[in-house]
Amino acid sequence: MSAPRHQGPRSSHRPRRVAAFFDLDKTIIATSSVFAFNRSFLDEGLLSRRSVIDLAYTQLAFSLSGADDEQMAKVRQAMATATKGWEPAQVERIVTEALTERVSPTVFVEAQELLSEHRALGHDLVIVSASGEELVAPIARMLGVDHYAATRMSRDADGRYGGSIEFYCQGTGKAEAIRAFAQRYGWDLDSSYAYSDSATDLPMLEEVGHPTAINPDRALRKEALERGWPILTFSNPTPLLPTLERVTGPIFGVGSIALAMGAAVVAFARAGR
């Protein structure tokens, strides 16, 4: 059975500000955000082929056993170990230089149109991703999205990644970030929207009055059907529409500089399902 057509955000009067929260991978873009930059990370020496294989094994175990606390802890440790010593400025430079070639062609045209619909209604746009600020911030600028939440890594005395995670923006972490945003900006979550493809984002979807599953994995599709949530299929990645792209101007995130490896872990899990 085909997915129902999206009817678009409602335009009713709102007593408070409304936001639209978007997962990134497989929701806005048709790939894993970190996978899009793997070649660049390898070329710059940030990732070795051995570390890619090690992460892949961790991700495979995650996909086979599910997102329980033990596997999530292993995922977090794999992220921290693989990226210890990285310079945040170098990561952001790599991502920014590669955006047009590696990310822009993967943005779903349906997501572009949905972002534009929400923007036209005056809704605040937010990317909520397990990736980090050096990766998410340039993508948010490219999409014209003014807010984001991401994983926050610890820093050593030299400002490099310190080998541990202070805040993991996945699962309940996404819900926590959404609540923090709502308190800061006065957003009415009952009138707000959220979009994701993964059952790991159920806490995020449950925070708002208008959750929607996009290209859902099997577990999220089951939940959406049981709860009567809309299910959308995005299938047409295309370079950014000229009316959407905006690469200048400030953007605002939750927390400090963060890292982008979490997206790869989740992507493997979704592929396994």
Side-chain angles (χ1 to χ4, degrees):
M1 180 180 297
S2 60
R5 293 287 296 172
H6 178 51
Q7 299 300 316
R10 300 174 186 173
S11 57
S12 59
H13 295 292
R14 305 182 303 274
R16 302 176 66 193
R17 293 172 64 183
V18 172
F21 302 94
F22 291 81
D23 178 41
L24 182 59
D25 296 353
K26 308 300 177 65
T27 301
I28 293 178
I29 62 176
T31 185
S32 160
S33 48
V34 73
F35 285 174
F37 300 105
N38 266 355
R39 172 53 59 185
S40 298
F41 289 151
L42 283 167
D43 291 344
E44 293 273 348
L46 292 182
L47 284 178
S48 66
R49 298 187 184 280
R50 177 72 256 174
S51 64
V52 171
I53 293 173
D54 289 344
L55 281 169
Y57 277 120
T58 302
Q59 294 154 1
L60 177 61
F62 177 82
S63 69
L64 293 175
S65 58
D68 58 28
D69 291 341
E70 181 180 357
Q71 284 301 322
M72 292 294 280
K74 290 180 180 179
V75 165
R76 290 193 294 268
Q77 186 55 49
M79 292 167 57
T81 300
T83 59
K84 184 177 182 180
W86 286 20
E87 292 184 354
Q90 182 183 16
V91 176
E92 187 162 3
R93 174 184 60 77
I94 292 170
V95 172
T96 301
E97 290 176 353
L99 273 179
T100 300
E101 176 185 357
R102 302 192 184 278
V103 176
S104 178
T106 73
V107 181
F108 288 118
V109 69
E110 299 94 336
Q112 299 180 47
E113 293 169 350
L114 185 55
L115 287 164
S116 294
E117 288 181 42
H118 280 291
R119 185 180 294 114
L121 290 172
H123 299 169
D124 291 297
L125 305 179
V126 190
I127 292 176
V128 187
S129 175
S131 301
E133 190 171 79
E134 290 82 3
L135 189 149
V136 175
I139 294 176
R141 280 195 296 268
M142 181 182 71
L143 294 168
V145 174
D146 294 316
H147 305 275
Y148 60 87
T151 297
R152 182 170 62 250
M153 304 294 290
S154 68
R155 302 291 193 89
D156 63 21
D158 297 320
R160 298 171 183 264
Y161 295 127
S164 63
I165 295 177
E166 292 182 356
F167 173 67
Y168 189 35
C169 193
Q170 183 62 286
T172 57
K174 288 192 176 185
E176 179 182 338
I178 287 174
R179 290 192 297 270
F181 265 130
Q183 183 175 10
R184 179 176 181 181
Y185 294 107
W187 292 336
D188 180 3
L189 292 182
D190 287 339
S191 299
S192 292
Y193 299 76
Y195 302 90
S196 178
D197 71 300
S198 173
T200 61
D201 286 342
L202 278 171
M204 163 182 161
L205 295 169
E206 291 169 341
E207 284 294 320
V208 301
H210 304 289
T212 296
I214 294 177
N215 298 339
D217 60 26
R218 183 165 52 191
L220 180 57
R221 178 176 292 275
K222 180 176 182 292
E223 288 286 342
L225 290 171
E226 290 178 352
R227 301 184 191 210
W229 293 350
I231 299 174
L232 305 181
T233 299
F234 289 179
S235 59
N236 184 21
T238 189
L240 285 178
L241 302 172
T243 55
L244 184 69
E245 187 168 7
R246 187 184 70 199
V247 293
T248 59
I251 56 176
F252 304 95
V254 168
S256 59
I257 301 296
L259 177 71
M261 294 305 297
V265 176
V266 179
F268 262 97
R270 294 171 183 172
R273 287 192 290 265

